[in-house]
Amino acid sequence: MSFMVHTRKGSKKHYHVDPLLMPKVPRINYMHLQEEKHRLQLKKFLLHRMFLVGHIQENVEKKEISEYYEQLFQSILKHHLGEAVTGILLIYSSTFLHIMETSNGTFFRILLDYVAHEKEENEFMIYNMKIIVASHNIPTRLFMQWHISVIKVPVLYLEDVTQSQSLAEVTTDFLTMTHKLSLHLFKTIKVGMKGPGDNLHQIAPDLLLPEQTIQYLCKADEFLDPVTFLSMYNKPIHVTLDSEIVWPAPSRF
């Protein structure tokens, strides 16, 4: 609200605006606050974080998986606007854990590429993928780059504890440990630094998930596979009811 004060020429009387009526703080709306936050964080799109698990085909080398994802990320950014992918891919003996941070459209195309390979190839290098959780509109990244690491788990960590736990308990442990691991890497790995490499089991052995946990989650029907997830993603929000297409329109009293 603005105040305009007019004075007549030659008049010695002055009009003063009550200082209590003047706005003390610039009035901006919530959208402007969000836009400023994203500008400060150098984000063009909203960020999302996704936790994926799955199996790896036998005799697949780490280099093949690394090259596949790096080429896929570059191809997506080249042809579609979006945020760069950051995160980490942990490769176990027969399973993997993948944490990715990027924009929604990039996630959509990454999953589409996986589904296409799964349909076209008899034995794609990764299979039986499950989406454990997707966090939307995260405030900041936990990873400044994308890393890949082979986990050489010692015998000490091969004890299977999932047999005596419920799905909720296993999922809670999974999210707790992956979050702690992500925070640890966030504090220790800076921009431009080399990732943990294949020594993660030595750097943070207490923060690594047992492979049995990943195998357990891959078998759980409660988690969506990429095909089901994409089907729900493409499903229209506005559903036309039968009562909306009959004539004459039903009247309600």
Side-chain angles (χ1 to χ4, degrees):
M1 183 175 182
S2 61
F3 298 89
M4 298 183 65
V5 180
H6 301 275
T7 59
R8 294 182 180 180
K9 187 175 181 181
S11 175
K12 295 182 179 180
K13 189 175 182 180
H14 298 281
Y15 296 89
H16 298 281
V17 178
D18 188 349
L20 295 177
L21 298 178
M22 295 296 292
K24 299 294 191 301
V25 180
R27 298 186 177 183
I28 58 177
N29 56 34
Y30 183 71
M31 183 186 73
H32 292 157
L33 290 174
Q34 290 295 95
E35 289 178 345
E36 180 65 11
K37 183 188 296 184
H38 293 313
R39 185 187 70 79
L40 293 175
Q41 295 175 355
L42 302 178
K43 295 191 302 183
K44 299 177 182 178
F45 302 87
L46 293 179
L47 281 174
H48 309 282
R49 184 180 297 122
M50 187 174 289
F51 295 77
L52 303 135
V53 296
H55 284 90
I56 301 173
Q57 296 285 359
E58 295 182 4
N59 302 323
V60 173
E61 296 183 1
K62 165 193 168 182
K63 184 178 179 181
E64 296 180 47
I65 302 177
S66 177
E67 290 178 349
Y68 161 71
Y69 274 113
E70 288 173 357
Q71 292 174 6
L72 176 61
F73 297 160
Q74 292 176 5
S75 175
I76 292 175
L77 288 177
K78 183 178 179 181
H79 297 93
H80 303 279
L81 292 176
E83 289 287 336
V85 180
T86 59
I88 190 166
L89 174 62
L90 304 181
I91 298 179
Y92 290 76
S93 60
S94 61
T95 60
F96 69 87
L97 163 62
H98 202 175
I99 305 174
M100 289 188 290
E101 300 169 332
T102 185
S103 52
N104 195 51
T106 304
F107 270 133
F108 180 75
R109 290 173 175 83
I110 291 172
L111 296 178
L112 272 178
D113 189 82
Y114 165 78
V115 172
H117 279 288
E118 194 178 42
K119 290 181 179 180
E120 296 173 0
E121 302 179 20
N122 293 330
E123 292 186 354
F124 186 48
M125 64 181 69
I126 54 178
Y127 67 100
N128 194 26
M129 184 185 291
K130 291 292 183 67
I131 300 170
I132 305 302
V133 66
S135 302
H136 301 287
N137 193 15
I138 58 177
T140 185
R141 296 177 186 264
L142 286 175
F143 301 91
M144 297 298 105
Q145 303 173 67
W146 185 78
H147 305 285
I148 183 171
S149 179
V150 175
I151 305 302
K152 303 173 183 178
V153 185
V155 178
L156 178 62
Y157 298 97
L158 295 180
E159 181 182 359
D160 189 1
V161 297
T162 60
Q163 300 299 324
S164 58
Q165 293 180 317
S166 64
L167 177 62
E169 291 173 329
V170 175
T171 306
T172 301
D173 291 342
F174 168 84
L175 294 176
T176 301
M177 293 189 68
T178 51
H179 185 67
K180 289 181 178 180
L181 176 63
S182 301
L183 286 176
H184 174 78
L185 296 176
F186 175 76
K187 295 176 181 178
T188 56
I189 302 177
K190 304 302 179 182
V191 179
M193 290 179 58
K194 187 178 180 181
D198 296 341
N199 297 320
L200 195 56
H201 63 283
Q202 297 176 349
I203 300 173
D206 297 335
L207 301 179
L208 287 179
L209 282 167
E211 187 171 15
Q212 289 83 359
T213 299
I214 299 177
Q215 293 173 343
Y216 180 93
L217 295 174
C218 289
K219 296 177 182 178
D221 296 330
E222 288 79 0
F223 298 113
L224 298 179
D225 60 88
V227 173
T228 307
F229 181 87
L230 291 174
S231 176
M232 294 179 62
Y233 181 91
N234 290 320
K235 187 176 295 183
I237 299 176
H238 303 287
V239 180
T240 304
L241 303 176
D242 292 340
S243 60
E244 297 176 331
I245 58 177
V246 298
W247 183 260
S251 58
R252 295 179 174 84
F253 298 95

